[in-house]
Amino acid sequence: MKFTSALASALLLSVSFLQAQTDPGIMRLQEFAYPAKRKILNIPNVNGLQVLKCDFHMHTVFTDGHVWPNVRVQEAWREGLDAISYTEHMEYNPHSKDVKVDHNRSHDLAVELAKENNIVLVKGTEVTRKTPPGHFNALFIQDASTLVENNDSALDQEAIDKVAAQKAFIFWNHPGWKAATIEGSYEWIDFVEKMYQEKKLHGIEVVNGLGFHKKALDWALDRNLTVIGNTDIHNLIAHDYNIGQEGVHRTMTLIMSKDRSAAGIRDALEAGRTVAWSSKYLFGKEENVRNLMNACVSISAPYHEKTNKKAGSTTKYYEISNNSDLYFELELKSGNGTKRIVLYPESKQILTAEAGQSKLTYEVVSTFIRSDKHLMFDVKL
Amino acid sequence: MKFTSALASALLLSVSFLQAQTDPGIMRLQEFAYPAKRKILNIPNVNGLQVLKCDFHMHTVFTDGHVWPNVRVQEAWREGLDAISYTEHMEYNPHSKDVKVDHNRSHDLAVELAKENNIVLVKGTEVTRKTPPGHFNALFIQDASTLVENNDSALDQEAIDKVAAQKAFIFWNHPGWKAATIEGSYEWIDFVEKMYQEKKLHGIEVVNGLGFHKKALDWALDRNLTVIGNTDIHNLIAHDYNIGQEGVHRTMTLIMSKDRSAAGIRDALEAGRTVAWSSKYLFGKEENVRNLMNACVSISAPYHEKTNKKAGSTTKYYEISNNSDLYFELELKSGNGTKRIVLYPESKQILTAEAGQSKLTYEVVSTFIRSDKHLMFDVKL
Amino acid sequence: MKFTSALASALLLSVSFLQAQTDPGIMRLQEFAYPAKRKILNIPNVNGLQVLKCDFHMHTVFTDGHVWPNVRVQEAWREGLDAISYTEHMEYNPHSKDVKVDHNRSHDLAVELAKENNIVLVKGTEVTRKTPPGHFNALFIQDASTLVENNDSALDQEAIDKVAAQKAFIFWNHPGWKAATIEGSYEWIDFVEKMYQEKKLHGIEVVNGLGFHKKALDWALDRNLTVIGNTDIHNLIAHDYNIGQEGVHRTMTLIMSKDRSAAGIRDALEAGRTVAWSSKYLFGKEENVRNLMNACVSISAPYHEKTNKKAGSTTKYYEISNNSDLYFELELKSGNGTKRIVLYPESKQILTAEAGQSKLTYEVVSTFIRSDKHLMFDVKL
Amino acid sequence: MKFTSALASALLLSVSFLQAQTDPGIMRLQEFAYPAKRKILNIPNVNGLQVLKCDFHMHTVFTDGHVWPNVRVQEAWREGLDAISYTEHMEYNPHSKDVKVDHNRSHDLAVELAKENNIVLVKGTEVTRKTPPGHFNALFIQDASTLVENNDSALDQEAIDKVAAQKAFIFWNHPGWKAATIEGSYEWIDFVEKMYQEKKLHGIEVVNGLGFHKKALDWALDRNLTVIGNTDIHNLIAHDYNIGQEGVHRTMTLIMSKDRSAAGIRDALEAGRTVAWSSKYLFGKEENVRNLMNACVSISAPYHEKTNKKAGSTTKYYEISNNSDLYFELELKSGNGTKRIVLYPESKQILTAEAGQSKLTYEVVSTFIRSDKHLMFDVKL
């Protein structure tokens, strides 16, 4: 049946209960239909910048993914993303017996649909070299057909040079990948150091899917490279993530951008204004994570107080609010007050503090501003 | 990253909380991962026959679907299906510019994966003729490459004859489809009558996705054709159905079979031992629906009674149990007792009845044993 | 075990996975604990006024409810309410054999807990006269112990006069209640007319729990009485409402208030700045419903257009956003564009419109601005 | 409004969408109503014994709980429990200013409702002595009004003797409670040893709510005392447990009983045929946990095999099924096969094993057969 477009199907409306169409011959049983909607992922502006939700690493049947390109737009639309990029492997085409190899094709097939769905589509590719040096994503390229298709190690440098020549924004993907599964460790290698020296490396994917590459975060911070988090989705988002459960989201890069455009995104990427978001965790430069948290979390004026005459102390009551879909988990490090606070998405907690203090200092254990360091966050009283 | 097989990814385990791998360099953030599991759809045996959950109508990128064939096996595995069939269009190949046309290919690519996942794979095809006469599915074919690819009306008969020559089990798909969307009505046409007379039509798809083709149910019942329900999925099941919500399932055909095999399925299809299940509803021959309900619903002995002295009456209390993942909604038609009972999946309700009766008779409004008739169900007291 | 206060228990934190306490002798198994949080019900300010979420009708064990008073504060805290009122029956005390009758007691027992939880507690009572005239709630009373306890019809007038003498804000509860269940119709009776004439009736509870009293809405609108919606909860909110499911909320009155205080609430009630919210529906004065919807729903600039050369027409694409936890369902009444739009909480839809129009007009079928009239809503293009 | 009984409210049916009553004056908005049902907690019989789901520790407003007694029956009915016991404190009555102290009252008020709901009601009490010795529950008592109300330490022995004299089944509650929160450790004290010697101690509550008292499990196993798990609920189950989420259940004792009766329960308690179930974990005597798991988990015949010619090895495929609502997490300890298996409720997993083995041995890390020991479970191939 239906040869409907992806858009039409995305727009299919869920109606409660048995609803007869005009034609009495067909009865619609809509109770179990997906309630088609574009979720709003709430994150307030950060110092006047919009926070764009982006995933810059994904595959389709045109390389080793399991879906037609339109599905990636559907997923992005439903899940509230602003921007995506198809990053097909240049050098790995396991479906080539069935699917004609065309490195630009998944992007091209999605262009119109992305426009209809108001998704910013950034043209990208994955440069899939053997490990080491491993894989790199190049965003904002013009033409993938002119790049290096051959996976011979002798061409590693040429492959990078060719995407660099297209003025791409280049980041190193999942640096610990093979290391983790095969060799047991991973290092900042000479090849990458050379890229870095030659300004051909601009970021590192420190979170890939649900794997946090710890060393990679420190490398990015120490060299002022942009922190990136992506899904690297091959399968369906709904099959890899427990989508539909409250608060569950795919891995993504939060980009603090002047506007909702490809240009704004590039500008923010180059300026390093990103935070990676995966599971309950935020990863990034201290300043970025702090700014983001300041935009999301607020504390009320004290609304109540209680005096313990015996102890000679007074407790003040505040509401601490998380006005975002992010998650923050705080542990008290100095001051007298609530010891542990979990700020679930779009919710508040009661915070109590002994009177006479100007602040409480919390460690935000759901953030990483280095592989071994969480953000310290002052709650001003 | 991961070039893992679909099976491996289906087997990926969900672990709560931050769990370090052996290599300290990568931290797994598994909280949001899909809890990989094969759901057991509970339906008790019906008179010694197993109830197999089957979907015999689906598409992949090899015609106009949006997924690689492996995804259909993943979906079936997760959702607890026993059998599926790839029914690609013979005559409609909108992706042919990118995907090499091969009518056997989606089936062939899935054979090994289906075996690994213990899914019965029935070889099938969709014979996509213009409407009228419309579309037909042929199951248990041997080779799709020998069939009619051309959609010229002059070849309608030949197309049917060729699948019939392969001894296929043939059913008419969504008879009201174009009628519903274009012409406004649909009829039992001469072409189909001829098929029926020549024993080349064996069933009708009375439910397609979430659309119940009412007339089609009556046609099937009047001619003793097998009642079928399928998804006709092109997109992802998770994007068309609100999968993940309690009790939500895709449309399917419940087959009462001697064993869990392709041969058992064919035997049951030919004998008409099927019930279509879509949303909260069951559709089928009265006998089949009744047998199925009898297997699922049971009534306890009275466990309590209460006498109203003023009224001179006694009320007895029973538990009515639904030991299945199906849904039954009952309205009292004769006798004195609980007026309306909703039997949610795997749950019980209290049923009260005035003493001195041998039964209550309910209309099961969540069943259709004709387009305008629900099953009448006696609760023996 | 634990003799902990309700507050402490409300603050109990959910931690993932098996977490050892300091004492190795006890292991905490927290996976199944309720994730304690105060939900933020997002509704933007309306013309500079805060939208407070209020429930002014509830019972505890002190009359015929099933919970201790603290539970009502817990529920309000978890569900994001701003204000509640205990409205125990003056004249109906079925637990009096076990619970000492004290008409102020449930309020008094909750005062401190409400303060700790930042819930505005409005002192109230239910004046439970036989039907007719039925039940009335009186808010902002000072002392319930001085009111009429006797349910003799001869005292109906005195009962009202006594609450009026306390300068209460009085509304008629569920006018169709007994009518619906017993007599079959309900009318604007003389007793109520007299109250109205004497300015002793200020509002009508047009939604009680999940029952919408249709005539009552028209009465309120025609006489400029304040529209109220309450739960009238006796049992647990979690047992009467499917709390925990996405988007599910208790029935409540949305109050557009200058500030978050009892005084602000009274002022708004007297000025009639309310909308009742139950299930997916909004009920109220046209102006109030319109202002509320204007605050919640916005339309983007056109972000894409598509020209159909054959038809000589151009379609423009917009995003329509629902920046609230309310629900809006729109059906197109004039103009050429998307015919049906469901704005789920915190989500967007694509709206398409033929170019050259300045607006589309929708009927918002999820609102009632009379018993038989939905809001008409212009989408400016 | 409604002065309906708890039963009637429990039976209130959920209907989708706006459904007009007979009286056009009231419209029912049922979408958000709780879908009233008695959940079936699926656990197969164990060696011919029924597995009853029991909670023998709970409070109401008659001592320090927050609900009227009827709510405990409602909760039990909804959650699929078979038996409960009100265990009010004899010596702690914080609501006595408002609620008349009557130690039998919560039980008595629930008797008829429990009968109507088919819940087995076991008469019990909590003997709340200072810690040490702490609290004890006594089940199957006849009359709580004759017991010791005074909490003076001098009467500790008398308090125990009095419940023992009623031939109660007595267990020690949450042995580590105060220790955990105050003193830091807890011991097998003389007072308890004396009870044990005198056959006045029959079980230990090793899980209380979501706290597993580790030492207490070993004490119970070493002395052949019955292992018990209870909620000790004071608040609402729905506010302490994340009820409504898939797989979430309250803490309870699973009792392997000859029949569904108070006598059967007592017999099983005395014979020690219990397993405590809390969160994802099972706690109990090795034999009981093993029998339970054997009843729930089954392995299919091999349905597929794959030969790796290079390695000269063959892999066989099996389905391992969890036909229960319990949860099992297995880690391979010996043999070559799937390393880690999570058996979610009512689901299957694929298990692969190298051919030529007769079994795989797993450690079931979601069970505790001592404080530091999990069940070892052989999967026969």
Side-chain angles (χ1 to χ4, degrees), chain B residues 329-332 338-342 362, chain D residues 13-15 19:
Chain B
E329 193 168 328
L330 298 82
E331 292 180 1
L332 185 64
T338 303
K339 294 220 170 332
R340 191 160 172 280
I341 300 173
V342 180
Y362 286 92
Chain D
L13 298 167
S14 164
V15 222
Q19 197 185 38

Side-chain angles (χ1 to χ4, degrees), chain B residues 46 49-50 52 56 140 169-171 201-204 206 217 220-221 223-229 253-258 263-276 283-292:
Chain B
V46 174
L49 301 171
Q50 279 187 264
L52 305 182
F56 296 132
F140 305 103
F169 180 90
I170 303 173
F171 56 89
L201 184 70
H202 313 108
I204 308 186
V206 304
L217 176 59
L221 296 171
R223 288 163 183 83
N224 206 24
L225 295 168
T226 300
V227 171
I228 309 274
T253 305
L254 303 177
I255 289 191
M256 290 161 267
S257 175
K258 278 167 202 153
I265 289 168
R266 172 144 209 176
D267 183 59
L269 283 172
E270 288 179 354
R273 290 195 307 271
T274 65
V275 172
F283 308 84
K285 223 175 283 186
E286 177 170 358
E287 183 195 3
N288 289 329
V289 176
R290 184 180 306 286
N291 289 345
L292 183 59

Side-chain angles (χ1 to χ4, degrees), chain D residues 15-32:
Chain D
V15 222
S16 297
F17 221 61
L18 221 121
Q19 197 185 38
Q21 275 206 338
T22 320
D23 182 333
I26 298 192
M27 188 181 277
R28 292 283 146 202
L29 319 165
Q30 292 287 36
E31 296 100 329
F32 286 13

Side-chain angles (χ1 to χ4, degrees), chain C residues 133-171:
Chain C
H135 305 183
F136 301 85
N137 271 5
L139 305 182
F140 305 102
I141 61 166
Q142 286 81 48
D143 182 359
S145 70
T146 63
L147 304 175
V148 173
E149 278 189 336
N150 188 325
N151 203 346
D152 186 323
S153 298
L155 303 177
D156 287 354
Q157 188 61 49
E158 186 178 333
I160 294 299
D161 290 346
K162 283 217 168 169
V163 289
Q166 291 201 13
K167 300 200 192 309
F169 180 90
I170 304 173
F171 56 88

Side-chain angles (χ1 to χ4, degrees), chain B residues 38 42 116 306 348, chain D residues 38 116 303 306 346 348:
Chain B
R38 176 149 166 73
N42 273 315
E116 288 172 8
K306 214 157 50 170
K348 301 181 181 188
Chain D
R38 176 149 166 73
E116 288 172 10
Y303 60 82
K306 214 157 51 170
E346 301 284 344
K348 301 180 181 189

Side-chain angles (χ1 to χ4, degrees), chain B residues 44-249:
Chain B
N45 284 359
V46 174
N47 299 332
L49 301 171
Q50 279 187 264
V51 180
L52 305 182
K53 296 96 190 176
C54 308
D55 184 359
F56 296 132
H57 196 168
M58 58 187 62
H59 299 272
T60 75
V61 298
F62 283 89
T63 53
D64 58 342
H66 307 162
V67 301
W68 196 250
N70 68 333
V71 172
R72 298 295 175 224
V73 175
Q74 278 183 37
E75 291 171 333
W77 186 82
R78 292 164 53 127
E79 299 173 32
L81 268 70
D82 294 287
I84 60 171
S85 184
Y86 294 90
T87 53
E88 307 287 6
H89 301 287
M90 280 302 305
E91 308 82 354
Y92 182 67
N93 294 283
H95 297 160
S96 58
K97 209 170 149 181
D98 297 293
V99 182
K100 200 176 128 194
V101 174
D102 178 342
H103 302 309
N104 292 311
R105 188 66 176 153
S106 52
H107 180 95
D108 291 353
L109 277 169
V111 164
E112 176 64 18
L113 187 65
K115 279 183 188 158
E116 288 172 8
N117 284 270
N118 203 15
I119 303 290
V120 177
L121 198 58
V122 171
K123 185 149 185 176
T125 192
E126 184 160 14
V127 178
T128 313
R129 313 310 298 172
K130 281 172 193 151
T131 302
H135 305 182
F136 300 86
N137 270 5
L139 303 182
F140 305 103
I141 61 167
Q142 286 80 50
D143 182 359
S145 70
T146 64
L147 303 175
V148 174
E149 278 188 334
N150 188 325
N151 203 346
D152 186 322
S153 298
L155 302 177
D156 288 353
Q157 188 61 48
E158 187 179 330
I160 294 299
D161 290 346
K162 283 217 167 167
V163 288
Q166 291 201 12
K167 299 200 192 311
F169 180 90
I170 303 173
F171 56 89
W172 191 10
N173 292 336
H174 46 71
W177 170 43
K178 280 225 171 160
T181 52
I182 303 176
E183 293 126 69
S185 96
Y186 58 101
E187 300 302 334
W188 180 261
I189 51 180
D190 291 346
F191 184 89
V192 168
E193 174 65 18
K194 184 158 177 284
M195 285 177 68
Y196 171 65
Q197 293 296 344
E198 295 175 351
K199 313 263 184 252
K200 290 172 184 159
L201 184 70
H202 313 108
I204 308 186
E205 188 187 66
V206 304
V207 190
N208 175 284
L210 295 168
F212 164 35
H213 295 238
K214 294 168 70 174
K215 285 185 190 178
L217 176 59
D218 299 337
W219 295 338
L221 296 171
D222 290 342
R223 288 163 183 83
N224 206 24
L225 295 168
T226 300
V227 171
I228 309 274
N230 294 315
T231 56
D232 194 4
I233 190 74
H234 288 67
N235 206 331
L236 322 179
I237 292 289
H239 283 201
D240 279 8
Y241 293 80
N242 204 358
I243 292 289
Q245 291 305 98
E246 197 182 338
V248 170
H249 61 90

Side-chain angles (χ1 to χ4, degrees), chain A residues 7 11 13-16 35-40 42 77 112 115-118 244 246 280 303-304 306 317 319 321-323 329 340-342 344-350, chain C residues 7 11 13-16 35-40 42 77 112 115-118 244 246 280 303-304 306 317 319 321-323 329 340-342 344-350:
Chain A
L7 174 67
L11 289 175
L13 297 167
S14 165
V15 222
S16 296
K37 59 176 179 184
R38 177 150 165 73
K39 186 179 180 169
I40 296 177
N42 273 316
W77 186 82
E112 176 65 18
K115 280 183 187 158
E116 288 172 10
N117 283 272
N118 203 15
E246 197 182 337
K280 302 179 174 178
Y303 60 81
H304 182 55
K306 213 155 53 167
Y317 285 70
E319 275 190 335
S321 299
N322 175 12
N323 301 102
E329 194 168 326
R340 192 160 170 278
I341 300 172
V342 180
Y344 295 92
E346 300 284 346
S347 73
K348 301 182 183 188
Q349 297 289 358
I350 297 171
Chain C
L7 173 67
L11 289 175
L13 298 167
S14 165
V15 221
S16 297
K37 60 177 178 183
R38 177 149 165 74
K39 186 179 180 169
I40 296 177
N42 273 314
W77 186 81
E112 176 64 17
K115 280 183 188 157
E116 287 172 9
N117 283 272
N118 203 13
E246 197 182 338
K280 302 179 174 180
Y303 60 82
H304 181 56
K306 213 156 52 169
Y317 286 70
E319 275 189 337
S321 300
N322 175 12
N323 302 101
E329 194 168 328
R340 191 160 171 279
I341 300 173
V342 180
Y344 295 93
E346 301 284 345
S347 73
K348 302 181 181 189
Q349 297 289 357
I350 298 171

